[in-house]
Amino acid sequence: MTISQAAPDDTSRRPPTRTLPPTAYTDPELYADELREVFDRSWQLAGHVSELEAPGSYVTVQVGEEPVAVIRGHDGELRALSNVCRHRASLILEGSGICRKVMRCPYHAWTYRLDGRLAAAPSARGFNDFDPETVRLPRFRVEVIGGLVWACADDSAPPLRELLGPVAEFIDGLGLENLVVLEREGTNAASGENRQVEDYDENWKILADNYLEDYHVPIAHPALVRLLDVKQTDGDRGRWAEWSSLPMRDKPSKVEAERRYQELARRMPGLPERFERRWGHMCVWPATFFEIYPHHVDTWQLEPLGLGRTRARTMTLVHPEATELDREAIRLCHELQSDVMAEDIEITTRVQKGIRAPSYEAGILNDEWEPSVIAFQTNLRDLLPRIAELEREVAERLAARG
């Protein structure tokens, strides 16, 4: 759910804002362009500073097509390194955790120092003309803003703070650096992975489009209507990022679990007063989203796996002194959001099927309730010329039909 804005008075006099053409969700050439021009060149959320305090502590993240490990060196420096062994391309690390001395590839035991330099390669004498001193893991950009750790594989991308625009100051004021990552039940103890991972049989843009608007909320999410006043949204937007918030209703819900949640939802220490009984949302290009609750923060990050396949990773940040009642509020909120996500997936699955209909040309976007979708799709059009080609193909096909 994002910023709703009042429609201009002369809306009826302007041509309607059209959605992307349906083939933008099914075209292999455009998908390849998206990986190269959008994800390979953007900043991706890697983790939180609480996971990277000790020397050797690391988190892994997919930055476009590049697997990356963000790791704290023995010198205290935070580095983003390629997570691909230079020998035979095995991934070196998985999830999050601590490398006490070196990074060790599980395939052939090549080991790397925490600055990326090769430390040892078994049976190195068997390699012709091999100089270990020339082998190191490529290094990428890393930035920390408000306790959030980001990585980028593109040297030409703008600095993260510049990309965030007005949202950077908003993040600075949230106090996220004082939170910690919630340990999830069923966490893989070997990898220390504290992300929930879900795969969906849908194009990543269909999931992003759905997140970026409130238009469907009164129809699809009755629990949110009972708990929130979606018409009282405020916020701020730049080209590549935005935030918004909306108030919780005072009227007790008729559903017992929701009513219990309303009773327990209190603002955690350090969170700005504007989140007293309010929910917030934040979106960072291209597909990283934040749910800001009074009692915790969830991140939701989309990773394309194919034209019709998307992985979503969720991380939860909580106050280190959260009480049992706070944790109950978090549990109830997660149960609620699990139901909301199931409702969203039912919708987006219908879109994934309907988008292939030969009769479907393109949709019309609502200026008042879908401004964030308009901004998102405008950015895609600006970065990906292939979309204009697909729109011309649709127009030609319709013209040929008469």
Side-chain angles (χ1 to χ4, degrees):
M1 295 184 291
T2 50
I3 308 169
S4 296
Q5 296 180 336
D9 293 337
D10 63 346
T11 297
S12 61
R13 300 179 183 178
R14 294 186 291 106
T17 303
R18 309 293 290 185
T19 65
L20 298 177
T23 46
Y25 300 86
T26 61
D27 181 63
E29 184 178 337
L30 179 63
Y31 176 72
D33 290 347
E34 289 169 351
L35 293 181
R36 184 179 62 254
E37 302 297 332
V38 175
F39 285 91
D40 284 356
R41 297 187 173 184
S42 61
W43 288 91
Q44 297 294 327
L45 178 66
H48 186 261
V49 289
S50 63
E51 303 174 282
L52 296 162
E53 295 178 342
S57 55
Y58 69 87
V59 293
T60 59
V61 61
Q62 192 73 20
V63 181
E65 297 171 280
E66 183 73 44
V68 170
V70 178
I71 191 163
R72 179 77 68 181
H74 293 300
D75 58 359
E77 186 173 351
L78 204 59
R79 296 177 176 87
L81 303 171
S82 174
N83 193 27
V84 178
C85 181
R86 300 297 100 181
H87 176 221
R88 294 269 297 280
S90 169
L91 297 186
I92 303 169
L93 301 175
E94 191 174 15
S96 58
I98 294 183
C99 299
R100 295 299 178 186
K101 294 183 179 180
V102 294
M103 303 166 60
R104 181 179 183 274
C105 178
Y107 197 178
H108 299 97
W110 280 38
T111 58
Y112 299 86
R113 297 181 178 90
L114 303 190
D115 63 2
R117 291 178 297 157
L118 183 68
S123 304
R125 287 178 296 180
F127 296 103
N128 293 327
D129 194 24
F130 179 65
D131 181 4
E133 294 298 321
T134 65
V135 180
R136 67 169 53 227
L137 300 173
R139 184 173 176 178
F140 307 112
R141 300 163 68 188
V142 62
E143 287 194 29
V144 180
I145 293 182
L148 301 172
V149 182
W150 303 74
C152 180
D154 181 17
D155 289 338
S156 66
L160 178 59
R161 187 168 287 276
E162 178 183 327
L163 179 140
L164 291 173
V167 176
E169 184 177 354
F170 174 75
I171 295 175
D172 289 337
L174 289 176
L176 300 183
E177 64 275 10
N178 300 317
L179 305 183
V180 296
V181 177
L182 177 69
E183 293 186 9
R184 292 184 176 274
E185 294 183 6
T187 292
N188 184 327
S191 68
E193 178 60 83
N194 281 318
R195 275 69 166 170
Q196 179 179 336
V197 179
E198 298 285 347
D199 291 349
Y200 301 106
D201 292 327
E202 296 163 53
N203 183 273
W204 73 276
K205 296 188 298 299
I206 290 176
L207 293 170
D209 286 341
N210 182 74
Y211 184 95
L212 287 166
E213 52 100 338
D214 297 337
Y215 194 26
H216 71 288
V217 171
I219 299 94
H221 303 310
L224 296 185
V225 174
R226 290 191 292 268
L227 291 174
L228 303 169
D229 187 349
V230 296
K231 294 182 179 180
Q232 299 299 320
T233 305
D234 66 353
D236 200 359
R237 174 188 293 119
R239 181 178 179 186
W240 307 107
E242 65 179 59
W243 71 267
S244 63
S245 73
L246 65 170
M248 295 176 59
R249 295 187 186 277
D250 293 326
K251 181 180 178 180
S253 170
K254 62 184 179 181
V255 178
E256 182 178 355
E258 295 170 10
R259 192 165 58 249
R260 176 61 173 163
Y261 169 73
Q262 289 173 309
E263 296 170 356
L264 295 176
R266 72 181 187 101
R267 180 166 55 92
M268 59 185 166
L271 196 66
E273 289 186 9
R274 71 157 51 106
F275 285 105
E276 189 70 54
R277 298 195 63 77
R278 291 181 77 91
W279 285 13
H281 309 275
M282 186 166 65
C283 312
V284 178
W285 174 266
T288 301
F289 309 102
F290 297 78
E291 302 282 341
I292 305 164
Y293 304 102
H295 33 72
H296 79 282
V297 173
D298 281 332
T299 71
W300 194 61
Q301 195 165 9
L302 301 181
E303 174 191 333
L305 299 180
L307 259 178
R309 188 75 169 165
T310 303
R311 176 161 294 165
R313 297 182 184 275
T314 303
M315 174 176 67
T316 297
L317 301 173
V318 300
H319 195 275
E321 298 179 3
T323 67
E324 287 301 315
L325 290 178
D326 293 331
R327 291 180 180 273
E328 184 180 353
I330 295 169
R331 180 186 62 79
L332 289 169
C333 185
H334 278 161
E335 289 180 357
L336 166 70
Q337 289 293 27
S338 178
D339 292 340
V340 170
M341 188 66 196
E343 291 162 352
D344 277 331
I345 293 304
E346 180 178 353
I347 294 167
T348 53
T349 298
R350 289 172 176 267
V351 176
Q352 180 69 37
K353 294 176 179 178
I355 208 76
R356 293 182 174 275
S359 63
Y360 183 72
E361 160 189 1
I364 300 173
L365 290 169
N366 186 298
D367 290 352
E368 180 178 358
W369 286 96
E370 299 171 299
S372 297
V373 180
I374 294 172
F376 172 70
Q377 296 193 359
T378 297
N379 284 340
L380 288 171
R381 284 186 171 96
D382 290 345
L383 294 175
L384 303 169
R386 175 64 179 160
I387 292 176
E389 296 176 9
L390 295 174
E391 288 176 320
R392 285 194 295 271
E393 291 175 5
V394 170
E396 291 170 359
R397 186 170 65 250
L398 291 173
R401 288 181 189 171

